[in-house]
Amino acid sequence: MFGYAGIAVTDPTRQAEIYRALESLKKDELGWKKSVESFVGPNKPSAEEQFLLLQVIEDFLNKRYSSASQQDVLVIRNFLLHYIKGFQDNSSTSHEMFLTNKMAHIFSLVFAMDFPERWSTFFNDLFFNNNITDTNISSFYLKVLLAIDTEVVNRDIQRSKNESERNIKIKDAMREICMNEVAKSWLTIANSSKEEAIQCLVLRNIAAYVDWIELDLVANDYVMPFIISKLQDSATSEDATSAVCGLMQKGMPAEKKVGLALTVMTVLRNNGLLTVNDNNDEDEVTRVGSLVNTLGLVLLDVQNKLCASSILEKEQECCVQEMARLAEPAIVVLNNEDPDLSYLCTDYIRGYASFLIKFYPNDTNFIEKVIRTGLQRYVMGDDMTVGGDGEEEVEFQDYRRELRSMLNVIGLRRPEAIVNAIEPWTAEVTAGGSSIPVNKIEAFLNVLFHLHEIIPSNMLQNPREGVSQRAARLPIVILEGLVLDGRCPAVHVLYFELACRYERLLVLQAQPVVITHIAAAFLDQRGISIPTGNVRTRIVYLFCRFVKSHKAVLGPLVSEVITRLAPLLAVSPKSEDNQLLSPDDQGYIFEATATLIVFGDLTSEMKSQYVGELATTLAMKFENGLVELNAARARKADEETIQVILQFMANIIGYSSRMSKAFNNAQSMKACNCIEIYLKLVKLFVETLSPENSFLLESTRQFAHRLVVSMEDELMPYMSGIFEKLALVSTDLDSMHHLLIFCHQTVAKYKKAMLTSGVDLGNVLAIAARTSLQEQENNLPAKDDSQRALLYVQRAFVQLLFTVIVSDCTPALNTSPGLLDHVLEAAARLALSSDQTAQKVALSSLAKISLIIPAWSARTLRVALEIPSLSHITPSDAGSTLVVHEVCATLTSLHQSDPNGFAQALRELVPNGFSDQLLSALTNLKGKNLDKQVMNIYSSLRSQNAQ
């Protein structure tokens, strides 16, 4: 039908052409019928082409078959009958696996559509009236049943309400019409065929269907012996285990399930199917682990329910005994060196440990075994790389999370048991030094790092006497005593991670010896000078964090530490590949150095001198870079050379920004006599900024942000020049967005002082207003980068306008005729846009300005009244609720400012009935009640208009 030889269908060069032909056939109203005719015709297509034809038929079944005519239904039915008939004639039916599986799916789709109304005899006509024991037919039949389970029963697939209702009817009909025969057929097929594949398919069917069919169809003297016998066969063990687990997980009353569970336990134990040791192979461990986990969880659940109901006390006691018998094989499975096998029983171990702690607190043997085994398994195997990021290593970290979750059940109620197990490990690691294997050290550090996930976290935050004090002492001991010998970079990182994780515990130490010890490790080849690049980057970040946390303790060591850091502060335009530290790394080093200076035991003059020396060096390097940049452009150097120089200059600006993060309210830039130093830097950086050097825009703007945070009125004389240069280079939507954010920051901090700074706020708002409205006719949500950038500009514009209004800077809007109306009209239009974030802030701005300039009250009222009627405002949408809340706040504000004028204006704008409802709501309701009532009023109005 596709006009290609079979081999052409798999030819990559023909894929696009075949895809177009396939889609064309799907769109053709008779395409599915043509596909059926081609499929059943005398000239059999290749298996690959048959697969394509089935896709066309599948498309028809999914989209149009439910409303098909009786004639079309008959065509599909005959197609299925023809396919089954072909099994008796091997020349007419392909047995390719992919084709058989696809055909099984086709059968399941027809079944889901036709059973029981249109085809109640589906199984009789297609399978039971044929030789069901024929290997090909039985194999396909079992696959169809599995496909039906997926289509109708599988709970992992999300379905619509109609599909769910349909599936319930199908299951009810199957139980009534054919499920008995289907269940009998499983055993008939299993007894007639010795092929392992068939046996596995039968077991998979039982596992799939047992959840919703009658229990007696499986739990009987015929099916159960069959399943049990297959547990001992390695080829069928996995599927037999699934069948048993499916049976045990079947929903039923506890008083009924307890007998089934105890019977199954007895049968399995008598057949030696719950016994495991360290010498068993993977299949045996998988079988026992799965059975133990499922049976154990079922027993826990049943015992809990029987206990809650206070019934069947003898059976409860049996459940407790059986759970205890499962404990030993569960521990053996947990102790398996393969993480994929070890985790099989963790759910049961977690549940049983919780059960013992609650009901048998004196029974500590199992608890101790779980802790000991869990910690042993926490150590990475010799076949994995400690600190590696391969697939096995990543999966092992997931396995560790499972172990921590398991241990957490014990740790929350018995933290002393966890601490008792870890303390000897601590002593071993600190005393053993380099003789301890790296993987064991790494595992121990990892346990300590995640200890808050195992025992109550408050024990490590506010340690008191007893267990809490012992637990808090563990990280301190290891930080003080661990030898970092360079064998494994990952161990070094974990050590410093611990230092930052438990910074609070370090601060609580009576003597700061440990902190200085850690700082020394940070400063040499154990830390920031470690040869491994990716590890070094993380350690540099941790060093900066460590310094900021312990700046007071490190204050007396400032001169010594800075001397050690000095070589790392050298900056160069050379390639990053030739430097020890990356630019980001150096940024953290500059921040840490500045923090040490600012909080060191130095006079303000000394602090100013040290910071000044760093700043002067950076300024000199920047100026040298500028000279080199101009020379490169003069000789028309290649773009890559110019870009390297620009990046170097941007890095220097970034380092200056990072240094400014050292200052805070306790040690301000002014108190350290560093104001003039940073003003010189900003003057240098801003003067260099130009359209030609626009690459420096982002770093310069970030530096300006930092100065606004760190300075007060000292920055005002420079503000006009900063804005002028930033605006000159901010030529696209993204850079304008960030300029507006910077402007918002300055107005929010300096407020009315901005009116005398020389910055024309009115012009900034006017430009932002024009930009915001340039594409306002497109009221759709952002779909691409340009629309998204425009959206961000619009939001930043209304946010800046709001800040200008509430910061008493509205005189900036009166600097030229018509400016105020232009800006506010832009806000009004954005209040009516589809972006709810912009809507809220824009309307809030109009409400605020209306209190200052009453002439704008009428326009604000019209906007506020129109917003709830917009198509995207709906009662079921959370964002709409927030917008309507802002509408209510605006209407309330206008109403309270001039009740009589508001009522008169409202009646002039809307019908009397509508205005009366609104006035009543505004007068009598508040908060969420008012929001809800206004939403209801508009919903009612919308319904009336629709009629």
Side-chain angles (χ1 to χ4, degrees):
M1 169 160 295
F2 289 90
Y4 308 117
I7 193 171
V9 176
T10 58
D11 183 356
T13 62
R14 309 293 292 276
Q15 292 297 310
E17 190 175 351
I18 294 171
Y19 175 77
R20 286 192 295 270
L22 179 63
E23 291 303 308
S24 175
L25 200 57
K26 286 181 181 179
K27 293 175 183 178
D28 185 349
E29 286 293 324
L30 297 178
W32 69 274
K33 193 171 291 186
K34 295 175 183 177
S35 298
V36 169
E37 291 170 353
S38 178
F39 204 102
V40 303
N43 298 321
K44 207 66 174 176
S46 67
E48 290 80 8
E49 191 165 353
Q50 288 182 51
F51 187 80
L52 296 177
L53 294 174
L54 289 180
Q55 289 189 52
V56 178
I57 297 171
E58 179 186 1
D59 183 74
F60 166 72
L61 292 173
N62 281 322
K63 297 178 180 178
R64 287 171 284 164
Y65 183 64
S66 59
S67 58
S69 67
Q70 186 59 40
Q71 185 179 358
D72 288 345
V73 170
L74 192 59
V75 171
I76 290 295
R77 186 172 302 183
N78 288 332
F79 168 56
L80 302 192
L81 290 167
H82 172 85
Y83 185 81
I84 291 297
K85 185 176 181 296
F87 280 111
Q88 301 167 7
D89 178 9
N90 288 333
S91 62
S92 61
T93 296
S94 173
H95 301 308
E96 294 282 354
M97 182 70 72
F98 69 91
L99 192 59
T100 302
N101 292 339
K102 188 69 171 179
M103 201 67 202
H105 179 58
I106 296 292
F107 271 60
S108 71
L109 291 177
V110 176
F111 177 84
M113 296 288 185
D114 286 356
F115 186 87
E117 283 85 0
R118 290 198 298 207
W119 199 357
S120 61
T121 57
F122 180 90
F123 286 108
N124 285 329
D125 295 345
L126 291 172
F127 299 108
F128 297 157
N129 291 340
N130 291 291
N131 183 12
I132 195 70
T133 58
D134 176 83
T135 301
N136 291 330
I137 293 180
S138 61
S139 175
F140 181 70
Y141 162 69
L142 293 169
K143 288 183 178 181
V144 169
L145 284 173
L146 291 175
I148 289 173
D149 173 74
T150 301
E151 185 65 27
V152 175
V153 182
N154 196 315
R155 294 185 178 89
D156 294 332
I157 301 174
Q158 289 189 345
R159 307 183 193 278
S160 66
K161 181 180 178 182
N162 290 338
E163 287 176 331
S164 297
E165 291 175 352
R166 177 204 70 178
N167 292 345
I168 291 172
K169 291 179 181 178
I170 290 174
K171 288 193 291 183
D172 290 342
M174 288 183 71
R175 292 189 191 100
E176 182 179 347
I177 297 173
C178 61
M179 209 57 237
N180 286 349
E181 292 300 318
V182 169
K184 289 178 183 178
S185 70
W186 292 332
L187 208 55
T188 300
I189 292 170
N191 291 333
S192 64
S193 175
K194 301 304 179 185
E195 287 194 17
E196 292 175 349
I198 297 292
Q199 303 287 315
C200 288
L201 283 171
V202 171
L203 291 166
R204 286 174 205 164
N205 270 265
I206 295 173
Y209 280 80
V210 69
D211 181 50
W212 61 273
I213 64 175
E214 291 296 328
L215 177 63
D216 294 342
L217 295 178
V218 175
N220 55 53
D221 294 337
Y222 305 102
V223 177
M224 287 306 297
F226 163 71
I227 297 175
I228 299 300
S229 68
K230 298 304 173 184
L231 282 169
Q232 297 168 317
D233 186 341
S234 61
T236 56
S237 175
E238 181 179 352
D239 293 311
T241 301
S242 297
V244 173
C245 292
L247 174 63
M248 296 309 303
Q249 291 166 340
K250 181 177 176 63
M252 65 184 82
E255 55 269 27
K256 185 175 181 180
K257 180 177 272 191
V258 65
L260 174 65
L262 293 174
T263 300
V264 170
M265 286 283 297
T266 301
V267 172
L268 292 175
R269 180 170 291 106
N270 290 342
N271 284 274
L273 297 173
L274 296 177
T275 303
V276 65
N277 57 58
D278 295 336
N279 298 322
N280 287 137
D281 61 20
E282 180 179 338
D283 290 338
E284 291 173 312
V285 176
T286 300
R287 183 197 69 225
V288 174
S290 299
L291 289 173
V292 166
N293 195 60
T294 300
L295 290 166
L297 291 175
V298 168
L299 289 170
L300 280 166
D301 180 62
V302 167
Q303 197 279 337
N304 180 56
K305 290 177 179 177
L306 294 179
C307 182
S309 302
S310 300
I311 57 175
L312 302 178
E313 293 183 2
K314 184 177 180 181
E315 283 76 3
Q316 289 185 47
E317 186 178 340
C318 290
C319 286
V320 174
Q321 292 172 357
E322 291 295 350
M323 284 190 283
R325 291 177 181 176
L326 291 176
E328 183 179 347
I331 292 293
V332 175
V333 173
L334 177 65
N335 195 41
N336 194 284
E337 293 182 356
D338 185 345
D340 291 335
L341 301 178
S342 176
Y343 92 99
L344 287 173
C345 288
T346 52
D347 287 337
Y348 171 60
I349 292 173
R350 187 186 296 113
Y352 186 54
S354 180
F355 172 81
L356 287 179
I357 292 172
K358 182 177 181 180
F359 295 106
Y360 298 90
N362 295 326
D363 187 353
T364 60
N365 184 46
F366 177 76
I367 301 298
E368 291 172 358
K369 284 184 179 179
V370 171
I371 297 173
R372 185 166 58 251
T373 306
L375 293 178
Q376 287 174 352
R377 293 279 60 82
Y378 208 86
V379 179
M380 192 173 286
D382 294 334
D383 57 334
M384 286 182 273
T385 303
V386 176
D389 56 1
E391 183 178 354
E392 286 189 2
E393 287 80 5
V394 171
E395 290 178 352
F396 191 79
Q397 297 306 324
D398 293 335
Y399 168 66
R400 279 179 168 176
R401 275 190 287 273
E402 187 72 21
L403 291 176
R404 292 197 298 271
S405 174
M406 180 186 71
L407 293 172
N408 173 254
V409 171
I410 300 171
L412 288 177
R413 298 181 183 179
R414 295 275 187 82
E416 71 282 359
I418 300 293
V419 175
N420 288 342
I422 295 179
E423 281 177 332
W425 200 357
T426 308
E428 179 186 0
V429 168
T430 52
S434 298
S435 66
I436 306 296
V438 163
N439 56 352
K440 196 166 185 178
I441 296 175
E442 185 271 343
F444 173 68
L445 294 179
N446 195 288
V447 167
L448 279 189
F449 184 77
H450 294 286
L451 192 56
H452 65 286
E453 298 177 24
I454 301 176
I455 65 174
S457 58
N458 64 321
M459 284 187 151
L460 301 167
Q461 295 170 352
N462 301 296
R464 298 178 181 177
E465 294 182 357
V467 178
S468 178
Q469 193 172 48
R470 287 167 57 199
R473 183 62 186 159
L474 294 173
I476 302 300
V477 169
I478 203 68
L479 288 170
E480 191 174 26
L482 182 67
V483 176
L484 296 175
D485 53 17
R487 287 185 294 161
C488 178
V491 168
H492 289 235
V493 175
L494 264 176
Y495 174 85
F496 294 119
E497 294 276 11
L498 275 177
C500 293
R501 164 62 59 85
Y502 296 109
E503 56 191 28
R504 180 180 175 84
L505 295 180
L506 290 172
V507 171
L508 294 175
Q509 297 303 300
Q511 299 295 326
V513 178
V514 183
I515 294 176
T516 56
H517 172 75
I518 296 169
F522 262 121
L523 290 168
D524 58 28
Q525 289 197 333
R526 293 172 292 175
I528 57 180
S529 296
I530 196 169
T532 311
N534 60 332
V535 169
R536 183 173 58 246
T537 293
R538 180 63 182 172
I539 293 176
V540 166
Y541 161 75
L542 293 172
F543 172 66
C544 181
R545 179 176 160 182
F546 182 81
V547 166
K548 293 175 80 70
S549 297
H550 303 290
K551 47 186 177 284
V553 175
L554 296 174
L557 307 175
V558 58
S559 298
E560 179 186 346
V561 175
I562 290 177
T563 302
R564 301 280 293 275
L565 290 175
L568 302 175
L569 297 172
V571 293
S572 168
K574 294 180 181 179
S575 171
E576 295 179 22
D577 297 336
N578 298 324
Q579 298 186 55
L580 178 65
L581 300 179
S582 69
D584 286 340
D585 296 344
Q586 281 199 299
Y588 286 119
I589 294 296
F590 272 101
E591 183 178 347
T593 304
T595 301
L596 288 167
I597 294 171
V598 170
F599 288 88
D601 289 351
L602 303 169
T603 63
S604 58
E605 289 75 16
M606 288 295 294
K607 293 177 182 179
S608 176
Q609 179 182 336
Y610 279 150
V611 173
E613 288 175 0
L614 286 175
T616 301
T617 302
L618 290 175
M620 187 187 312
K621 292 286 186 179
F622 186 86
E623 290 171 336
N624 292 341
L626 182 59
V627 171
E628 190 175 344
L629 177 65
N630 292 331
R633 283 176 172 154
R635 67 174 186 270
K636 297 182 178 180
D638 60 84
E639 189 61 33
E640 183 178 353
T641 300
I642 292 175
Q643 189 61 34
V644 168
I645 301 172
L646 283 170
Q647 184 62 64
F648 170 68
M649 296 170 69
N651 292 341
I652 290 177
I653 301 175
Y655 301 153
S656 303
S657 296
R658 299 305 290 264
M659 286 172 57
S660 70
K661 289 187 175 184
F663 302 101
N664 61 17
N665 293 334
Q667 292 288 345
S668 67
M669 191 177 284
K670 184 175 183 179
C672 296
N673 292 332
C674 293
I675 294 291
E676 289 301 321
I677 296 170
Y678 277 89
L679 289 177
K680 289 179 181 178
L681 286 176
V682 74
K683 185 173 184 296
L684 171 64
F685 298 153
V686 168
E687 286 178 350
T688 307
L689 192 60
S690 67
E692 191 177 27
N693 295 333
S694 60
F695 183 79
L696 302 176
L697 172 62
E698 182 178 355
S699 55
T700 304
R701 185 180 59 242
Q702 289 176 353
F703 184 64
H705 274 295
R706 288 300 314 157
L707 294 192
V708 171
V709 172
S710 304
M711 293 186 183
E712 299 302 327
D713 294 343
E714 303 91 353
L715 191 60
M716 284 294 110
Y718 296 81
M719 196 66 76
S720 177
I722 293 172
F723 265 95
E724 182 180 345
K725 279 300 186 76
L726 291 178
L728 177 66
V729 187
S730 300
T731 56
D732 58 18
L733 290 173
D734 183 64
S735 56
M736 177 173 287
H737 167 228
H738 287 96
L739 175 63
L740 293 174
I741 292 175
F742 175 66
C743 189
H744 169 264
Q745 181 197 23
T746 58
V747 174
K749 177 169 183 176
Y750 298 116
K751 295 182 170 46
K752 292 180 71 173
M754 287 297 293
L755 296 175
T756 57
S757 66
V759 177
D760 192 344
L761 292 176
N763 187 49
V764 173
L765 284 167
I767 295 173
R770 283 196 299 272
T771 305
S772 295
L773 297 179
Q774 68 181 10
E775 297 181 29
Q776 186 56 27
E777 63 274 6
N778 182 3
N779 234 8
L780 298 173
K783 293 181 180 179
D784 55 34
D785 290 343
S786 60
Q787 284 181 301
R788 191 175 296 108
L790 175 62
L791 193 71
Y792 292 154
V793 168
Q794 291 169 344
R795 292 176 180 179
F797 159 63
V798 292
Q799 188 64 60
L800 175 59
L801 174 61
F802 179 82
T803 305
V804 165
I805 294 170
V806 299
S807 300
D808 297 326
C809 292
T810 48
L813 299 174
N814 296 318
T815 54
S816 61
L819 173 61
L820 175 66
D821 290 339
H822 169 65
V823 170
L824 294 181
E825 184 58 35
R829 292 180 63 178
L830 288 175
L832 297 172
S833 70
S834 62
D835 177 32
Q836 295 172 342
T837 302
Q839 277 187 290
K840 290 185 295 180
V841 183
L843 184 58
S844 184
S845 300
L846 294 174
K848 294 290 184 183
I849 201 68
S850 296
L851 299 177
I852 301 172
I853 307 174
W856 257 86
S857 296
R859 177 70 171 120
T860 301
L861 177 60
R862 289 196 298 273
V863 171
L865 291 173
E866 185 177 348
I867 287 175
S869 66
L870 298 174
S871 59
H872 68 279
I873 303 296
T874 60
S876 59
D877 176 44
S880 297
T881 303
L882 296 176
V883 174
V884 170
H885 176 76
E886 196 62 52
V887 169
C888 293
T890 300
L891 293 175
T892 300
S893 175
L894 294 173
H895 182 225
Q896 292 175 347
S897 65
D898 183 9
N900 294 330
F902 177 84
Q904 181 179 349
L906 184 62
R907 291 192 173 94
E908 292 174 357
L909 292 172
V910 297
N912 287 338
F914 186 76
S915 62
D916 290 343
Q917 290 184 68
L918 270 180
L919 282 172
S920 175
L922 292 170
T923 303
N924 301 312
L925 299 175
K926 293 181 179 180
K928 291 183 179 180
N929 293 329
L930 175 59
D931 301 344
K932 185 177 181 180
Q933 181 62 19
V934 170
M935 187 74 86
N936 290 337
I937 292 172
Y938 275 87
S939 296
S940 176
L941 180 64
R942 191 178 287 117
S943 300
Q944 293 174 14
N945 293 336
Q947 295 175 359

